Each structure stands twice: as structure tokens, then as C-alpha cells.
Amino acid sequence: MRMSKLATIDKSAIRQMTYDDLEMVLAWRNHPEVRRYMYTQHEISLEEHTQWFEQTTYDDGKHLLIFEYQDISCGFVSFSEVENSDITEWGFYTSPEAPKGTGRLLGELALFYAFAKAGFHKVHGKVIDSNKRSANFHLNQGFNEEGVLRNNYFDGAEYHDVICFGITKYDWQGMHKSVAVEPK
């Protein structure tokens, strides 16, 4: 079954996640290179993953999305709306087998979706300080570092700072002047 695309740029697309994506997304999420940067680092069971999906999929404030490049699924993006606002927190990861540059494309299209399609005012993300790649990724996508939550994450052995990043639709529009953004 072909899923409708929520947003497309060139050869990239974002669509809603479905039950058919559960095992693929779980395999990506449980891969050691993805899992080591997550707040929950245990290997997630299919039962736990399915329960999360079923709870989340009925929440209108959650957007679970699959990123595709040339019709091949290669990344996951989630947006969780902050209650009673047009602000959202995002999370994402790419398939461990995704080609180099996939993350940048995923970020560009996810932010296009967030601001031009979903109508959010602001996207924010949190990065464990040991994840330098993600911190640099946020900065390269136009996010501003907005603060540090000191000793906010315990990995089982030690505490880590969490870096907070944010980008508004105005920041994003300044980088993408040709894109019209509709209010939510």
C-alpha cells in the first residue's frame, strides 16, 4: 500500500508512520549506534514498542513520521506538541544503513513539515552533551543553543548535561525565504 506524502522536497518525502513500519523503526532504534544516545538505552521489545505506538498514534499532539529518500525508508521523526501551544519538541534518527547526508536531508524536510505544513511556531530539541554530532547537527540546521540542563541525565554510571536547542519559524523562514508558511 502506498502512503500519502505529507511533505516532499526533491527526492525526499515524509509520511505518517504505520503499523507496517513498527519492526523497521524498532530495529533502527535498537541499533547500538542509535540507542547509545537515547534517554532509554535498554533494548526495546516489540511488545513495548507496539504499546508505545498504539498509545502515541491516538494522541493528536504527536506526529510520528517516516523519512524516505528515493522511496526508501531511512529515518524516523517525531514531533510532540507542547500542550495548548504551537510549540513542539522533536526527536529523530536515521537508519544505521542510511547513506551519508541522510540526516541533513531528514532535518531539512522535517523542519519544512513543522513550519510550512504543520504550522508550528517553534521546534525545540534536547541533546545529551556526549552526542556532539547531534549538537552540531542542530546548529547546522539553524537552531540556537538556548541553555544547558546541568547533570540532567543519568546513564546508569554518571550524570550528563543536556543541551537545549530551539528554532522558530521566523529563524527558519530567514533561511528559506522562498517558502510560504501558513499559520496553524
Side-chain angles (χ1 to χ4, degrees):
M1 176 172 91
R2 195 125 178 112
M3 295 297 304
S4 69
K5 311 298 186 195
L6 299 173
T8 59
I9 297 177
D10 296 326
K11 298 175 183 177
S12 302
I14 283 187
R15 63 173 175 78
Q16 283 189 311
M17 182 179 168
T18 69
Y19 273 102
D20 292 340
D21 299 312
L22 277 176
E23 289 186 28
M24 172 185 68
V25 171
L26 178 62
W28 297 344
R29 171 58 179 80
N30 278 338
H31 190 280
E33 285 303 305
V34 173
R35 193 174 69 227
R36 74 184 182 132
Y37 293 114
M38 297 294 179
Y39 285 104
T40 53
Q41 296 185 353
H42 71 280
E43 196 161 318
I44 297 171
S45 69
L46 181 57
E47 181 181 332
E48 182 182 356
H49 189 60
T50 302
Q51 185 177 17
W52 161 82
F53 180 75
E54 288 173 350
Q55 289 173 347
T56 307
T57 207
Y58 293 109
D59 183 339
D60 290 338
K62 306 278 187 192
H63 304 243
L64 306 179
L65 308 169
I66 298 296
F67 172 77
E68 297 178 337
Y69 181 71
Q70 296 181 338
D71 291 323
I72 298 171
S73 299
C74 53
F76 170 79
V77 181
S78 69
F79 290 103
S80 299
E81 296 179 31
V82 175
E83 195 171 334
N84 299 319
S85 76
D86 55 358
I87 297 171
T88 189
E89 182 171 359
W90 79 332
F92 57 88
Y93 45 89
T94 60
S95 159
E97 294 82 33
K100 187 170 175 58
T102 298
R104 179 185 54 79
L105 294 172
L106 176 149
E108 289 172 2
L109 188 54
L111 292 175
F112 173 79
Y113 168 82
F115 295 121
K117 298 294 185 178
F120 293 120
H121 170 72
K122 181 179 182 180
V123 174
H124 67 88
K126 295 176 183 164
V127 177
I128 299 169
D129 68 347
S130 61
N131 192 348
K132 304 295 183 206
R133 272 181 68 192
S134 185
N136 288 333
F137 169 84
H138 280 82
L139 294 171
N140 289 333
Q141 289 288 329
F143 282 76
N144 293 299
E145 185 174 324
E146 296 186 330
V148 176
L149 303 172
R150 295 180 51 243
N151 292 299
N152 203 63
Y153 169 70
F154 185 68
D155 67 5
E158 62 184 308
Y159 284 94
H160 297 271
D161 293 346
V162 174
I163 307 167
C164 301
F165 292 93
I167 185 170
T168 68
K169 71 178 174 184
Y170 304 114
D171 298 331
W172 181 82
Q173 279 181 305
M175 298 169 59
H176 303 86
K177 293 184 183 354
S178 64
V179 179
V181 176
E182 299 292 327
K184 189 172 181 182

